[in-house]
Amino acid sequence: MTIWFDEHFENKIRFGARVKRILFNDKSAFQKVTIIDTEALGKALLIDDLWMCAQEEEATYHEMITHVPMQSMANVKRVLIIGGGDGGTAREVLKYPSVEHIDLVEIDAMVVDACKRYLPEMAGGAWDDPRLFVHIADGVSWVKDASNGIYDVILVDGSDPVGPAVGLFNADFYRACYERLADDGVLVTQAESPKLFFNVHIDLLQTLSDIFPVVAPYYQSILIYAGALWAWAYASKKRQPQIVDLQSAHAIAEHTHLYNVDIHQASFAVPNFVKRKFNR
Ligand code: SPD
Protein backbone atom coordinates (compact mmCIF):
# COMPACT_ATOMS: atom_id res chain seq x y z
CA MET A 1 0.00 0.00 0.00
CA THR A 2 1.30 3.49 -0.86
CA ILE A 3 1.27 5.94 2.04
CA TRP A 4 1.81 9.65 1.50
CA PHE A 5 2.42 12.28 4.12
CA ASP A 6 0.99 15.67 3.16
CA GLU A 7 1.18 18.97 5.02
CA HIS A 8 -2.06 20.78 4.26
CA PHE A 9 -2.39 24.53 4.05
CA GLU A 10 -5.90 25.85 4.65
CA ASN A 11 -7.36 22.88 2.84
CA LYS A 12 -6.23 24.49 -0.44
CA ILE A 13 -2.76 23.18 -1.17
CA ARG A 14 -0.56 20.40 0.15
CA PHE A 15 3.12 19.51 0.33
CA GLY A 16 3.88 15.83 0.51
CA ALA A 17 6.23 12.90 0.16
CA ARG A 18 5.81 9.15 -0.15
CA VAL A 19 6.37 7.31 3.11
CA LYS A 20 8.37 4.09 3.39
CA ARG A 21 7.87 3.55 7.12
CA ILE A 22 6.46 5.30 10.15
CA LEU A 23 9.18 5.08 12.79
CA PHE A 24 7.53 6.99 15.63
CA ASN A 25 4.12 8.55 16.15
CA ASP A 26 2.83 9.75 19.51
CA LYS A 27 1.18 12.65 21.27
CA SER A 28 2.97 14.55 24.01
CA ALA A 29 1.34 17.00 26.40
CA PHE A 30 2.06 19.67 23.78
CA GLN A 31 1.74 18.22 20.29
CA LYS A 32 1.84 15.26 17.94
CA VAL A 33 5.37 14.07 17.18
CA THR A 34 6.02 11.88 14.13
CA ILE A 35 9.17 10.51 12.55
CA ILE A 36 8.87 8.87 9.15
CA ASP A 37 11.19 7.41 6.57
CA THR A 38 10.45 8.66 3.06
CA GLU A 39 11.41 7.59 -0.45
CA ALA A 40 12.77 10.95 -1.55
CA LEU A 41 13.84 12.85 1.54
CA GLY A 42 15.20 10.26 3.96
CA LYS A 43 13.98 10.34 7.54
CA ALA A 44 11.87 13.30 8.58
CA LEU A 45 10.44 14.90 11.72
CA LEU A 46 6.90 16.25 11.71
CA ILE A 47 5.18 18.17 14.47
CA ASP A 48 1.40 18.39 14.44
CA ASP A 49 1.56 17.09 10.85
CA LEU A 50 3.84 19.92 9.72
CA TRP A 51 7.27 19.29 8.20
CA MET A 52 10.11 20.25 10.54
CA CYS A 53 13.14 18.69 8.92
CA ALA A 54 14.08 15.87 6.57
CA GLN A 55 17.52 14.41 6.07
CA GLU A 56 17.82 15.28 2.39
CA GLU A 57 16.55 18.85 2.80
CA GLU A 58 17.54 20.00 6.28
CA ALA A 59 20.92 21.55 5.47
CA THR A 60 19.44 24.72 3.98
CA TYR A 61 17.36 25.45 7.07
CA HIS A 62 19.97 24.60 9.69
CA GLU A 63 22.85 26.31 7.90
CA MET A 64 20.89 29.50 7.24
CA ILE A 65 19.59 29.85 10.78
CA THR A 66 23.09 29.29 12.14
CA HIS A 67 25.85 30.60 9.88
CA VAL A 68 24.27 33.92 8.93
CA PRO A 69 24.31 35.15 12.56
CA MET A 70 27.52 33.30 13.46
CA GLN A 71 29.38 34.90 10.56
CA SER A 72 27.97 38.34 11.36
CA MET A 73 29.90 38.22 14.64
CA ALA A 74 33.36 37.11 15.61
CA ASN A 75 34.38 34.95 18.52
CA VAL A 76 30.90 33.81 19.56
CA LYS A 77 31.07 32.08 22.94
CA ARG A 78 27.57 31.71 24.40
CA VAL A 79 24.63 30.61 22.27
CA LEU A 80 20.97 30.07 23.17
CA ILE A 81 18.81 27.84 20.97
CA ILE A 82 15.09 28.01 21.67
CA GLY A 83 13.41 24.88 20.26
CA GLY A 84 15.74 22.97 17.98
CA GLY A 85 14.89 19.65 19.65
CA ASP A 86 16.08 17.67 16.62
CA GLY A 87 19.66 18.81 17.23
CA GLY A 88 20.31 20.12 13.69
CA THR A 89 20.94 23.72 14.69
CA ALA A 90 23.18 22.69 17.60
CA ARG A 91 25.17 20.55 15.15
CA GLU A 92 25.90 23.61 13.00
CA VAL A 93 26.73 25.89 15.97
CA LEU A 94 29.20 23.31 17.27
CA LYS A 95 31.27 23.72 14.09
CA TYR A 96 32.68 26.88 15.73
CA PRO A 97 35.63 26.23 18.07
CA SER A 98 35.06 29.61 19.76
CA VAL A 99 31.70 28.41 21.12
CA GLU A 100 32.05 27.47 24.77
CA HIS A 101 28.46 26.99 25.89
CA ILE A 102 25.12 26.31 24.19
CA ASP A 103 21.84 26.20 26.08
CA LEU A 104 19.24 24.35 24.00
CA VAL A 105 15.82 24.98 25.51
CA GLU A 106 13.18 22.66 24.07
CA ILE A 107 9.72 22.56 25.59
CA ASP A 108 8.91 19.00 24.57
CA ALA A 109 11.01 16.09 25.88
CA MET A 110 9.28 13.81 23.39
CA VAL A 111 10.88 15.67 20.46
CA VAL A 112 14.39 15.26 21.86
CA ASP A 113 13.89 11.64 22.93
CA ALA A 114 12.30 10.57 19.64
CA CYS A 115 14.99 12.33 17.58
CA LYS A 116 17.79 10.83 19.65
CA ARG A 117 16.34 7.38 19.07
CA TYR A 118 14.95 7.50 15.52
CA LEU A 119 16.71 10.45 13.88
CA PRO A 120 20.16 10.67 15.52
CA GLU A 121 21.76 11.71 12.19
CA MET A 122 20.19 15.17 12.48
CA ALA A 123 22.30 16.10 15.51
CA GLY A 124 25.44 14.57 14.01
CA GLY A 125 26.99 13.88 17.42
CA ALA A 126 25.88 17.15 19.02
CA TRP A 127 24.10 15.37 21.87
CA ASP A 128 27.47 14.07 23.12
CA ASP A 129 29.33 17.38 22.92
CA PRO A 130 30.15 18.69 26.42
CA ARG A 131 29.49 22.26 25.27
CA LEU A 132 25.79 21.50 24.68
CA PHE A 133 23.37 21.76 27.63
CA VAL A 134 19.85 20.53 26.90
CA HIS A 135 17.03 21.89 29.05
CA ILE A 136 13.48 20.64 28.76
CA ALA A 137 11.78 23.92 29.57
CA ASP A 138 9.61 26.68 28.18
CA GLY A 139 11.75 29.02 26.05
CA VAL A 140 9.60 32.04 26.89
CA SER A 141 10.17 31.56 30.63
CA TRP A 142 13.86 30.86 30.01
CA VAL A 143 14.51 34.23 28.40
CA LYS A 144 12.52 36.02 31.08
CA ASP A 145 14.82 34.60 33.77
CA ALA A 146 17.81 36.94 34.14
CA SER A 147 19.77 34.27 36.02
CA ASN A 148 20.26 32.46 32.70
CA GLY A 149 22.77 35.14 31.72
CA ILE A 150 23.63 36.92 28.51
CA TYR A 151 24.12 35.31 25.09
CA ASP A 152 26.15 36.40 22.07
CA VAL A 153 23.75 34.68 19.72
CA ILE A 154 20.11 33.63 20.21
CA LEU A 155 18.55 31.29 17.64
CA VAL A 156 14.80 30.77 17.72
CA ASP A 157 14.34 27.43 15.99
CA GLY A 158 10.70 26.89 16.81
CA SER A 159 7.81 25.31 15.02
CA ASP A 160 5.05 27.14 13.18
CA PRO A 161 2.79 29.50 15.15
CA VAL A 162 0.37 26.85 16.35
CA GLY A 163 0.51 24.98 19.68
CA PRO A 164 3.45 25.62 22.01
CA ALA A 165 5.32 27.78 19.45
CA VAL A 166 2.72 30.57 19.45
CA GLY A 167 4.60 32.39 22.23
CA LEU A 168 7.70 32.57 20.02
CA PHE A 169 5.97 35.06 17.73
CA ASN A 170 5.02 37.78 20.19
CA ALA A 171 6.54 41.01 21.43
CA ASP A 172 6.80 39.94 25.08
CA PHE A 173 9.10 37.10 24.12
CA TYR A 174 11.34 39.28 21.92
CA ARG A 175 11.55 42.01 24.56
CA ALA A 176 12.87 39.36 26.95
CA CYS A 177 15.30 38.11 24.26
CA TYR A 178 16.57 41.70 23.92
CA GLU A 179 17.45 41.63 27.61
CA ARG A 180 19.28 38.29 27.28
CA LEU A 181 21.27 39.41 24.20
CA ALA A 182 24.77 40.93 24.43
CA ASP A 183 25.01 44.56 23.30
CA ASP A 184 26.67 43.55 20.05
CA GLY A 185 24.86 40.18 19.87
CA VAL A 186 22.62 38.77 17.15
CA LEU A 187 19.22 37.09 17.27
CA VAL A 188 17.81 35.07 14.41
CA THR A 189 14.38 33.53 14.32
CA GLN A 190 12.70 31.41 11.72
CA ALA A 191 10.18 33.75 10.09
CA GLU A 192 7.83 31.51 8.10
CA SER A 193 7.07 31.74 4.38
CA PRO A 194 6.55 35.22 2.94
CA LYS A 195 4.32 33.59 0.35
CA LEU A 196 1.88 31.44 2.28
CA PHE A 197 2.23 33.11 5.69
CA PHE A 198 2.64 36.69 4.50
CA ASN A 199 0.87 38.32 7.44
CA VAL A 200 2.74 36.23 10.02
CA HIS A 201 6.00 37.13 8.30
CA ILE A 202 5.28 40.87 8.17
CA ASP A 203 3.88 40.96 11.72
CA LEU A 204 7.02 39.26 13.03
CA LEU A 205 9.30 41.74 11.24
CA GLN A 206 7.25 44.61 12.61
CA THR A 207 7.31 43.18 16.13
CA LEU A 208 11.09 42.84 15.99
CA SER A 209 11.46 46.35 14.56
CA ASP A 210 9.59 47.81 17.51
CA ILE A 211 12.27 46.29 19.78
CA PHE A 212 15.57 46.02 17.88
CA PRO A 213 17.28 48.88 15.98
CA VAL A 214 18.61 46.48 13.33
CA VAL A 215 16.15 44.07 11.68
CA ALA A 216 16.55 42.35 8.32
CA PRO A 217 14.70 39.41 6.79
CA TYR A 218 16.58 36.89 4.70
CA TYR A 219 15.41 34.11 2.42
CA GLN A 220 16.14 30.73 0.85
CA SER A 221 13.97 28.15 -0.82
CA ILE A 222 13.18 24.97 1.09
CA LEU A 223 11.52 22.16 -0.81
CA ILE A 224 9.50 20.67 2.03
CA TYR A 225 8.19 23.81 3.72
CA ALA A 226 4.78 25.13 2.79
CA GLY A 227 5.39 28.17 0.61
CA ALA A 228 8.80 26.97 -0.63
CA LEU A 229 10.41 30.38 -0.14
CA TRP A 230 11.37 30.42 3.54
CA ALA A 231 12.42 33.29 5.75
CA TRP A 232 14.50 34.06 8.79
CA ALA A 233 14.66 37.37 10.60
CA TYR A 234 17.95 38.84 11.78
CA ALA A 235 17.81 41.27 14.71
CA SER A 236 20.45 43.10 16.69
CA LYS A 237 20.92 46.12 18.94
CA LYS A 238 23.64 47.47 16.67
CA ARG A 239 25.28 44.85 14.48
CA GLN A 240 24.51 44.76 10.75
CA PRO A 241 24.12 41.35 9.04
CA GLN A 242 27.47 41.53 7.29
CA ILE A 243 30.19 38.92 7.30
CA VAL A 244 32.84 40.13 9.72
CA ASP A 245 35.68 37.85 8.64
CA LEU A 246 35.71 36.60 5.06
CA GLN A 247 38.38 34.04 5.86
CA SER A 248 36.21 32.51 8.57
CA ALA A 249 33.18 32.44 6.22
CA HIS A 250 35.21 30.69 3.52
CA ALA A 251 36.51 28.24 6.12
CA ILE A 252 33.02 27.32 7.39
CA ALA A 253 31.85 26.92 3.79
CA GLU A 254 34.27 23.99 3.52
CA HIS A 255 31.86 22.20 5.89
CA THR A 256 28.46 23.25 4.57
CA HIS A 257 26.10 22.01 1.89
CA LEU A 258 24.62 25.39 0.92
CA TYR A 259 25.99 28.27 2.97
CA ASN A 260 28.80 30.39 1.52
CA VAL A 261 29.73 34.06 1.24
CA ASP A 262 27.58 34.67 -1.86
CA ILE A 263 24.56 32.94 -0.32
CA HIS A 264 24.92 34.99 2.87
CA GLN A 265 24.90 38.26 0.95
CA ALA A 266 22.27 37.33 -1.65
CA SER A 267 19.81 35.95 0.90
CA PHE A 268 19.16 39.50 2.17
CA ALA A 269 17.59 40.51 -1.16
CA VAL A 270 14.02 41.34 -0.19
CA PRO A 271 11.15 40.66 -2.64
CA ASN A 272 9.11 43.72 -3.63
CA PHE A 273 5.89 42.30 -2.21
CA VAL A 274 7.60 42.28 1.21
CA LYS A 275 9.29 45.67 0.75
CA ARG A 276 5.92 47.29 0.13
CA LYS A 277 4.88 46.32 3.67
CA PHE A 278 8.22 46.32 5.44
CA ASN A 279 11.03 48.60 4.33
CA ARG A 280 13.70 49.57 6.77
N1 SPD B 1 7.08 24.90 8.66
C1 SPD B 1 8.35 24.60 9.16
C2 SPD B 1 8.87 25.47 10.21
C3 SPD B 1 10.12 24.86 10.72
C4 SPD B 1 10.78 25.54 11.78
N2 SPD B 1 11.68 24.75 12.56
C5 SPD B 1 12.21 23.59 12.03
C6 SPD B 1 12.98 22.84 13.04
C7 SPD B 1 14.22 22.28 12.49
N3 SPD B 1 15.27 22.24 13.43
Side-chain angles (χ1 to χ4, degrees), residues 206-227:
Q206 203 49 60
T207 298
L208 289 167
S209 297
D210 293 342
I211 299 165
F212 291 91
V214 180
V215 175
Y218 61 98
Y219 304 92
Q220 269 300 324
S221 57
I222 297 188
L223 175 70
I224 57 163
Y225 287 175

Side-chain angles (χ1 to χ4, degrees), residues 30-31 43 53 62 76 122 137 158 160 166 206 208 224 244 246 254 279:
F30 301 102
Q31 55 207 354
K43 291 192 276 177
C53 53
H62 290 125
V76 173
M122 202 57 69
D160 302 286
V166 169
Q206 203 49 60
L208 289 167
I224 57 163
V244 286
L246 274 180
E254 299 283 318
N279 204 351

Side-chain angles (χ1 to χ4, degrees), residues 51-53 61-62 86 89 157-160 190 192 225 230:
W51 293 104
M52 291 295 120
C53 53
Y61 179 87
H62 290 125
D86 49 70
T89 298
D157 181 15
S159 183
D160 302 286
Q190 76 93 353
E192 297 291 312
Y225 287 175
W230 205 255

Side-chain angles (χ1 to χ4, degrees), residues 156-248:
V156 185
D157 181 15
S159 183
D160 302 286
V162 285
V166 169
L168 306 182
F169 288 79
N170 72 42
D172 239 30
F173 170 66
Y174 288 106
R175 269 193 289 269
C177 286
Y178 183 98
E179 299 301 325
R180 298 274 66 69
L181 193 64
D183 278 349
D184 62 346
V186 175
L187 175 145
V188 162
T189 180
Q190 76 93 353
E192 297 291 312
S193 166
K195 289 190 172 175
L196 281 193
F197 304 94
F198 184 68
N199 291 338
V200 177
H201 180 60
I202 297 295
D203 287 353
L204 181 58
L205 295 176
Q206 203 49 60
T207 298
L208 289 167
S209 297
D210 293 342
I211 299 165
F212 291 91
V214 180
V215 175
Y218 61 98
Y219 304 92
Q220 269 300 324
S221 57
I222 297 188
L223 175 70
I224 57 163
Y225 287 175
L229 180 63
W230 205 255
W232 297 262
Y234 175 107
S236 178
K237 296 175 188 175
K238 59 179 175 201
R239 188 174 280 284
Q240 297 295 326
Q242 282 147 6
I243 293 173
V244 286
D245 177 355
L246 274 180
Q247 218 179 338
S248 156

